[in-house]
């Protein structure tokens, strides 16, 4: 028998457990973990460095990084956000550092620092951890919950569900009366086979990317008035062995999670490799260079992109390696400006972004009280983390959702149990 039972030994589950145990030392708190180790996602996050949060301290701006959950998170972020997360870790002897792009990591550059903190805190506060305990049944009884695992039964006054994207748990909660928004992948990379990028994996550069309307899928990405693509992103783009990745692509995959699923991950993107230029402006620059430059176009990179990408795009424009600036025609330079600012690439599938696998979908947000994270459908049932239909772009935002929801669910329970004592 426990006072509070947390189902799921991930980031959100631990954060909730630690806050409950800290404020209610007389209450019995336990975590049920289905696997034989906890915090596995924390371990691999940020390439093993753990991207703890993001240095965005304005709640409104912070909430804009959540394709699903932006409106609902605004209130909670006014209560508990990035600054509070930093304080939590600093109070436990863990300093965080801010990188150029705003991502925050422990100064040790090791996710084990965060895992060790949580485990030692759980030990200090007397939080029980039950490993290899996958939940197979949840029943609301008169005075408590009955939670059945494969090998045992647990009773608890309150439960926090923090199981992430777990279809079996969603099914159990659906049977209790909750609505489950159908899950689809978010944060994935694009598979592209194209000779313009085939031989340059590992190359990264700033780019603007737009998803164009799919001829095979359902849905329309264009505004009705001017038919502009509404799914667009700008940032570092990484060329990989299988296509394209990096923040510019991952942002598109998050914001377009449902649309791109409708497209069956088969669509075209338009890439501007020089976001500071449009086609006409770039052509004007080329015409000026043509007047004064005598070298080959291939050897004269006049825009700020990696040399190998320039070479590939020059060749794709129909310009020979030996063609000099005086030799090339205006049509060829138009082609080059087109390749640089409006290059079209065919996407033929997706690959999981291994560091931060995220799903869009889960508990319908209309069924959650975001002041306490308690279910509006069933009393004494709380949620934390990705089990809800909330997900973010990459950069530490998914972890911040875990910390905020874990904290808020804990506070909701603390207020309830404290009043009953």
């Amino acid at each position: 028998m426990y006072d509070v039972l947390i189902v799921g030994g991930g980031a959100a589950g631990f954060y909730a457990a630690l806050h409950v145990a800290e404020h209610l030392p007389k209450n019995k708190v336990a975590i049920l973990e289905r696997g034989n180790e906890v915090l596995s996602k924390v371990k691999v996050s940020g390439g093993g460095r753990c991207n703890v949060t993001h240095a965005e301290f304005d709640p409104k701006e912070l909430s804009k990084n959540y394709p699903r959950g932006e409106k609902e998170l605004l209130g909670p972020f006014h209560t508990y956000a990035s600054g509070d997360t930093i304080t939590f870790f600093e109070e436990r002897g863990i300093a965080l550092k801010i990188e150029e792009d705003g991502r925050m990591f422990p100064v040790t550059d090791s996710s084990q620092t965060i895992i060790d903190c949580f485990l030692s805190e759980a030990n200090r506060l007397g939080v029980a951890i039950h490993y290899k305990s996958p939940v197979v049944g949840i029943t609301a009884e008169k005075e408590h919950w009955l939670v059945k695992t494969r090998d045992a039964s647990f009773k608890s006054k309150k439960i926090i569900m923090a199981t992430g994207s777990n279809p079996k748990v969603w099914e159990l909660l659906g049977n209790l009366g909750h609505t489950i928004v159908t899950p689809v992948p978010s944060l994935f990379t694009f598979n592209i086979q194209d000779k313009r990028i085939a031989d340059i994996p590992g190359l990264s550069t700033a780019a603007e990317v737009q998803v164009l309307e799919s001829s095979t899928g359902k849905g329309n990405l264009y505004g009705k008035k001017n038919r502009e693509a509404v799914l667009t992103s700008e940032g570092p783009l990484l060329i990989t062995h299988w296509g394209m990745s990096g923040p510019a692509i991952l942002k598109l995959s998050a914001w377009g999670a449902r649309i791109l699923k409708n497209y069956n991950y088969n669509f075209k993107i338009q890439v501007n490799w020089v976001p500071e230029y449009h086609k006409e402006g770039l052509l004007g620059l080329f015409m000026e260079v043509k007047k004064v430059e005598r070298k080959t176009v291939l050897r004269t990179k006049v825009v700020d992109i990696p040399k190998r990408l320039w070479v590939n795009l020059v060749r794709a424009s129909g310009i020979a390696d030996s063609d000099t600036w005086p030799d090339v025609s205006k049509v060829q330079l138009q082609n080059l400006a087109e390749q640089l600012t409006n290059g079209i690439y065919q996407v033929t599938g997706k690959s999981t972004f291994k560091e931060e696998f995220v799903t869009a979908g889960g508990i319908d947000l209309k069924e959650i009280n975001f002041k306490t994270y308690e279910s509006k459908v069933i009393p004494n049932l709380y949620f934390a983390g990705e089990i809800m239909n909330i997900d973010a772009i990459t950069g530490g935002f998914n972890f911040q959702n875990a910390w905020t929801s874990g904290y808020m669910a804990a506070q909701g329970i603390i207020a309830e149990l404290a009043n009953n004592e």
Side-chain angles (χ1 to χ4, degrees):
M1 179 75 191
Y2 289 100
D3 296 292
V4 182
L5 198 59
I6 293 98
V7 183
F14 261 84
Y15 213 68
L18 298 183
H19 279 96
V20 171
E22 182 93 68
H23 288 86
L24 298 173
K26 293 178 182 175
N27 285 259
K28 290 179 71 180
V29 180
I31 293 171
L32 299 183
E33 167 54 45
R34 67 176 174 170
N36 53 14
E37 65 174 30
V38 291
L39 301 161
S40 54
K41 209 165 180 180
V42 170
K43 193 170 189 174
V44 299
S45 156
R49 296 196 298 143
C50 190
N51 184 184
V52 175
T53 186
H54 199 94
E56 175 53 75
F57 303 105
D58 179 334
K60 190 169 185 182
E61 291 303 311
L62 182 59
S63 68
K64 287 178 181 175
N65 294 285
Y66 297 81
R68 283 143 295 271
E70 177 180 352
K71 177 168 65 79
E72 291 80 5
L73 285 170
L74 188 55
F77 282 158
H78 273 96
T79 301
Y80 198 92
S82 309
D84 304 289
T85 300
I86 295 165
T87 301
F88 173 88
F89 286 110
E90 283 184 345
E91 285 175 348
R92 287 152 183 84
I94 296 171
L96 304 180
K97 60 177 178 176
I98 304 173
E99 303 211 331
E100 272 186 29
D101 57 5
R103 292 182 302 160
M104 298 194 69
F105 295 87
V107 293
T108 59
D109 274 332
S110 173
S111 56
Q112 197 59 45
T113 304
I114 305 300
I115 294 169
D116 291 344
C117 168
F118 283 157
L119 290 174
S120 66
E121 282 291 278
N123 184 55
R124 178 178 73 86
L125 296 166
V127 175
I129 303 171
H130 298 275
Y131 295 90
K132 296 182 181 176
S133 299
V135 170
V136 296
I138 307 169
T139 311
E141 302 197 336
K142 260 191 176 179
E143 299 294 322
H144 58 258
W145 285 95
L146 178 64
V147 179
K148 289 188 176 180
T149 65
R150 206 163 43 206
D151 305 314
S153 293
F154 299 86
K155 290 180 180 179
S156 182
K157 296 175 190 173
K158 311 268 185 189
I159 57 173
I160 300 175
M161 301 302 297
T163 49
S165 306
N166 186 322
K168 288 180 181 174
V169 172
W170 279 330
E171 187 181 342
L172 292 174
L173 293 168
N175 293 337
L176 287 173
H178 265 288
T179 305
I180 309 300
V181 177
T182 307
V184 298
S186 180
L187 285 189
F188 49 84
T189 60
F190 293 175
N191 295 351
I192 299 169
Q193 296 296 318
D194 192 295
K195 65 181 181 182
R196 289 170 289 179
I197 60 170
D199 59 346
I200 51 174
L203 184 149
S204 180
T205 187
E208 183 182 59
V209 189
Q210 291 188 340
V211 173
L212 305 180
E213 190 172 14
S214 169
S215 55
T216 57
K218 294 171 281 184
N220 183 355
L221 292 182
Y222 294 90
K224 287 179 182 175
K225 287 182 182 174
N226 51 13
R227 289 187 60 78
E228 286 182 359
V230 295
L231 201 56
T232 184
S233 164
E234 191 171 332
L237 187 154
L238 174 67
I239 295 169
T240 69
H241 287 287
W242 58 88
M244 294 181 187
S245 183
I249 297 297
L250 294 168
K251 276 190 264 184
L252 281 182
S253 75
W255 288 102
R258 296 205 170 275
I259 298 165
L260 301 183
K261 172 74 164 61
N262 284 343
Y263 283 4
N264 201 25
Y265 309 109
N266 201 299
F267 54 92
K268 290 188 171 96
I269 58 170
Q270 180 175 293
V271 181
N272 183 349
W273 299 104
V274 281
E276 64 272 24
Y277 287 100
H278 50 72
K279 183 182 173 183
E280 290 74 21
L282 194 56
L283 179 60
L285 171 67
F286 290 162
M287 297 308 288
E288 291 301 313
V289 173
K290 183 175 164 62
K291 293 176 186 174
V292 296
E293 183 57 70
R294 293 289 173 262
K295 292 178 186 170
T296 63
V297 178
L298 199 75
R299 290 177 57 199
T300 317
K301 181 171 71 75
V302 295
V303 290
D304 186 21
I305 63 169
K307 178 74 174 175
R308 289 181 298 161
L309 179 61
W310 169 264
V311 168
N312 284 7
L313 296 181
V314 167
R315 288 171 175 163
S317 307
I319 298 172
D321 291 8
S322 58
D323 285 348
T324 63
W325 282 93
D327 294 336
V328 289
S329 67
K330 184 176 180 181
V331 170
Q332 286 175 304
L333 291 179
Q334 282 176 327
N335 290 342
L336 181 55
E338 181 77 12
Q339 286 288 349
L340 281 158
T341 59
N342 299 319
I344 305 297
Y345 297 81
Q346 177 68 49
V347 177
T348 55
K350 63 174 176 58
S351 295
T352 300
F353 182 51
K354 62 181 183 300
E355 288 183 356
E356 202 167 342
F357 176 66
V358 171
T359 299
I363 304 295
D364 193 318
L365 304 186
K366 293 193 289 290
E367 299 175 353
I368 300 164
N369 174 356
F370 279 91
K371 290 179 179 171
T372 61
Y373 280 75
E374 185 174 12
S375 164
K376 290 180 180 178
V377 178
I378 312 151
N380 302 315
L381 171 64
Y382 296 75
F383 299 107
E386 209 193 317
I387 190 170
M388 299 173 280
N389 183 28
I390 292 176
D391 63 283
I393 63 172
T394 184
F397 301 107
N398 282 298
F399 271 138
Q400 187 54 54
N401 172 50
W403 314 137
T404 295
S405 58
Y407 174 85
M408 297 289 286
Q411 296 307 309
I413 285 175
I414 290 162
E416 281 267 314
L417 291 179
N419 288 337
N420 295 336
E421 283 184 357

